[in-house]
Amino acid sequence: GSCLESVKIAIDTGYRHIDGAFVYYNEHEVGQAIREKIAEGRIKREDIFYCGKLWSTCHPPELVRPTLEKTLKILQLDYVDLYIIELPMAFKPGDAIYPKDENGKIIYHETDLCATWEAMEACKDAGLAKSIGVSNFNRRQLEMILNKPGLKYKPVSNQVECHPYFTQPKLLEYCRQHDIVIVGYSPLGTSRDETWVNVSSPPLLKDSVLNAIGKKYNKTAAQVALRFNIQRGVVVIPKSFNPQRIRENFQIFDFSLTEKEMKEIEALNKNVRYVELLM
């Protein structure tokens, strides 16, 4: 229920881009929140930009459309605004989200990313997704798609980890050249959950530079980190279930960082991922 309430608060605050995924197990709540706000007359469906994701067990082309249709059924929506391939590697198809062998190792599956992409293009043609993109792709993987013979639609976006400690300058420049928008996940760093987070890197929001700049503008380190990415053309998708923080994360449009401050924050880059995606 916390997801339902958080999405409703976010919509009331002014958020319109909602980043979801089948593997977050909460699309039923997100869909309900959107529908309730439409029923209240607060928004129309076309005001919301919903991003759904194709999980790694669903890469074979014949699974792509049924997987998206399943997401739409859970959301109770007619289309998603953006549908993206969540990871460039495929896992063994089946009911297990993380299929593992008897030694606890992930069972991978050989698929052709270009064939998966063609099935994504067909979803766009069918009107099930307004736009299609990718996530966690590096330059080589993007080039495979961009150089594909008979490419119909190129990825509109690439969702990757991006924040002041991991600024992604080379990937950002490459994507700019190809009109691919970088969507930055974990823009505030992450939780300190050792099961999936590299905790050897210090917490981003304790950074003295971000806090000093924040003090100047009467803003939090989190607001400075978000503003930094927005000013360099990176979309941010901060996650929070705390109503006060949901509102705070939105209050970043009433100040600008100077060129000097942008350079100071860029210099914080450690080229270290919090989310290592070890699988």
Side-chain angles (χ1 to χ4, degrees), residues 55-258:
W55 183 239
S56 294
T57 53
C58 309
H59 279 206
E62 67 277 8
L63 296 181
V64 174
R65 181 167 175 163
T67 304
L68 174 51
E69 285 172 340
K70 193 171 171 185
T71 278
L72 292 173
K73 197 174 170 190
I74 294 168
L75 288 164
Q76 293 183 40
L77 296 175
D78 297 330
Y79 65 90
V80 293
D81 299 272
L82 176 62
Y83 199 52
I84 63 179
I85 300 174
E86 191 159 353
L87 291 164
M89 71 284 262
F91 303 156
K92 180 188 167 193
D95 292 331
I97 294 294
Y98 291 102
K100 290 180 178 168
D101 64 18
E102 59 278 7
N103 302 314
K105 294 261 191 294
I106 291 270
I107 305 170
Y108 294 98
H109 187 70
E110 196 168 308
T111 51
D112 174 0
L113 270 180
C114 290
T116 305
W117 186 254
E118 284 171 9
M120 296 282 284
E121 291 178 324
C123 288
K124 176 171 158 61
D125 281 336
L128 302 177
K130 298 274 186 196
S131 296
I132 50 176
V134 296
S135 178
N136 298 303
F137 274 49
N138 61 26
R139 176 176 175 156
R140 183 180 64 81
Q141 291 149 350
L142 286 169
E143 282 175 344
M144 277 173 67
I145 305 263
L146 292 173
N147 298 332
K148 186 184 89 64
L151 180 71
K152 199 166 185 185
Y153 307 114
K154 64 181 187 180
V156 297
S157 60
N158 184 18
Q159 188 180 124
V160 294
E161 181 176 340
C162 191
H163 47 73
Y165 283 176
F166 193 53
T167 53
Q168 300 267 24
K170 286 182 179 170
L171 188 63
L172 182 57
E173 185 49 41
Y174 177 78
C175 286
R176 271 194 190 128
Q177 288 166 6
H178 293 275
D179 289 327
I180 298 170
V181 176
I182 290 270
V183 177
Y185 67 72
S186 301
L188 304 175
T190 57
S191 70
R192 309 296 282 174
D193 181 344
E194 290 184 21
T195 61
W196 61 279
V197 172
N198 165 17
V199 290
S200 66
S201 209
L204 178 71
L205 300 184
K206 296 258 171 39
D207 188 88
S208 58
V209 172
L210 296 178
N211 281 283
I213 293 172
K215 214 167 176 183
K216 174 184 159 185
Y217 293 105
N218 201 18
K219 294 288 180 184
T220 64
Q223 288 167 320
V224 172
L226 295 175
R227 181 71 211 180
F228 164 73
N229 257 337
I230 279 196
Q231 270 185 229
R232 57 205 285 266
V234 172
V235 174
V236 287
I237 43 174
K239 170 190 154 195
S240 180
F241 290 108
N242 176 316
Q244 186 195 338
R245 291 209 192 105
I246 289 171
R247 293 184 189 105
E248 263 180 17
N249 290 343
F250 197 76
Q251 290 159 355
I252 56 171
F253 301 105
D254 55 356
F255 77 111
S256 299
L257 300 168
T258 65

